[in-house]
Amino acid sequence: MQGIMQDWQLTVDKILDHAAENHGRREIVTRSVEGPIVRTSYSELHSRAKQVSAALLDLGIKQGDRVATLAWNSARHMECWYGAMGIGAVLHTINPRLHPEQIAWIANHAEDRILMVDTTFLPIIEGAWEHFRTLEKIIVLTDEQHMPQTSLDAVPYELWIDGQSASTPWGGFDENTACGLCYTSGTTGNPKGVLYSHRTNVLHTFMTLPPDVMNLSSADTVLPVVPMFHANAWGLAFSCAAVGAKMVMPGAQMDGASIYQLLNDEKVTITAAVPTVWLMLLNHLEENNLDLPHLKRVVIGGSAVPERILRAFEQTYDVDVVHAWGMTETSPLGTLGALPAHLVGADIESRIAYKLKQGRPPFGVELKIVDDAGKRLPRDGETSGRLMIRGLAIAAGYFKGEGGNKLDEEGYFDTGDVATLDEMSTVQITDRAKDVIKSGGEWISSIDLENIAVGHPKVANAAAIGIYHPKWDERPLLIVQPAPGETPTKEEVLAQLQGKIAKWWTPDDVAFVEEIPLGATGKINKLKLRETFKDYTLPTA
Ligand code: ADP
């Protein structure tokens, strides 16, 4: 027997319809690429997104066609999103920090027909133009007045949508229709495309809202520093509109001073970004003796939250930190560190200890850890294994079948992360499977070593990698980037680790480098480090 209820397809156009109808005057504030702060509203954004739809239809874009963006977080970027998604096209967000040839590779693989690009990134396209094979039209996200000289057949966005109808119909297609495409940065092999559906994006939106997740309300002002090309700005491009929260978009400026200015001027209550961004902000606050009177909550993920950042927000600035773990393949939320009942009101040290972990899954996410043979491991908070995930918005595979079947017999996806789980499903990521250091058959967590090392004031960044050892197979080498003007010694760095790790985890050596290389998503590029140090001989070898 079937229920007798309405059929209301879960498509993302309904999210912006809802925002325009119920929160029409709520603002979307952008630090524009042209310079000035620009203000628009959900109602205006809705009309302009419909104009984008009309302009795309004029270019012959059909359901399932890929429309790409290479853009900062801005109201215009939001318009492109909803404009493409609303008519059933697939919005493909490209990460501009990738190498230009890799960008072309991704655009070709996705078979992008249209590219909407910020002026900042136009030179990337011009420089690699010979490699792009499927692009038919370039739309530059600016007006005629600011349109740069270009050798490409490109039109300014404002001119392109000018005069287009603001009442193009949206939706009317199946909720399982593809909606968005996002490639993972591919630290191994070629990048792979994660193809979100309307249904999974809408369900993920519902999942992000509750108090134990991102805790969003129409009264909030949200600054997504996390880029829209990183898994939908962790869903915020949808969830802010779903509740009618005011949005503040940072555009191209993500340095400490610029972010502080937005937080303060716009009275931001919730913000989200990777740890690197918060380090820059915290430095700015300290140097200028500033505080954060409006900010209630900061969501931090993408890599483990260093204790220094956690303590600064919680203890110095009285801002609640939500430590989140996820990946492009998980839409991206997997787990979040809202305090469980028994820790609400607990002493600060217990709360800090909990928040250093990656938190727990919201409803809609299931987790397990397994050994290399796929056998379930105990949830004792100590045993670590491969973290496997199943849920309402988790990838089943990659675009065009790259990489083959990605699910195990129970339908779980292998995250490539190594973690412990406790009986409440609290996750602690100990490593990425490919980064774990295997010493005498036992695993050493590179993340732990790095996080403790960066706690030393003379250390700006640290990375631990496994180096060949004749007896133990691999032993850890700690690579350190000193803080500006500092010259830490090996002894000082190792002393920082002492007592905080098992003795046998102590790195066999410390190497100092001017700069630790970062990848396109701002994470340490271990592949590059392993290459640099491939002939390194440990003093213990
Ligand atoms: P990639 O870096 O491979 O392009 P993503 O940007 O999707 O992919 O990043 C996902 C990965 O980032 C996770 O698999 C995990 O290794 C790491 N990660 C994300 N959040 C956290 C966190 N809070 N703590 C530790 N690692 C994290």
Side-chain angles (χ1 to χ4, degrees), residues 194 327 329-330 366 368 370 374 387-398 401-416:
V194 178
M327 56 202 301
E329 290 88 335
T330 64
E366 295 175 78
K368 67 175 179 180
V370 300
L387 182 63
M388 309 289 289
I389 188 165
R390 182 167 83 174
L392 55 76
I394 312 292
Y398 293 104
E402 294 298 331
N405 174 42
K406 299 314 286 181
L407 307 181
D408 75 359
E409 280 163 15
E410 296 180 320
Y412 283 80
F413 179 91
D414 187 341
T415 64

Side-chain angles (χ1 to χ4, degrees), residues 185 302-304 323-328 358 415 417 429 432 521 523:
S185 52
S303 50
H323 186 175
W325 166 86
M327 56 202 301
T328 308
Q358 280 75 7
T415 64
D417 285 335
I429 303 286
R432 299 193 93 167
T521 50
K523 293 174 204 178

Side-chain angles (χ1 to χ4, degrees), residues 127-147:
W129 185 242
E130 55 177 327
H131 300 290
F132 288 90
R133 288 199 298 273
T134 61
L135 289 181
E136 296 163 30
K137 188 98 196 155
I138 311 286
I139 316 291
V140 184
L141 294 169
T142 190
D143 53 22
E144 281 173 278
Q145 199 193 333
H146 296 91
M147 182 71 180

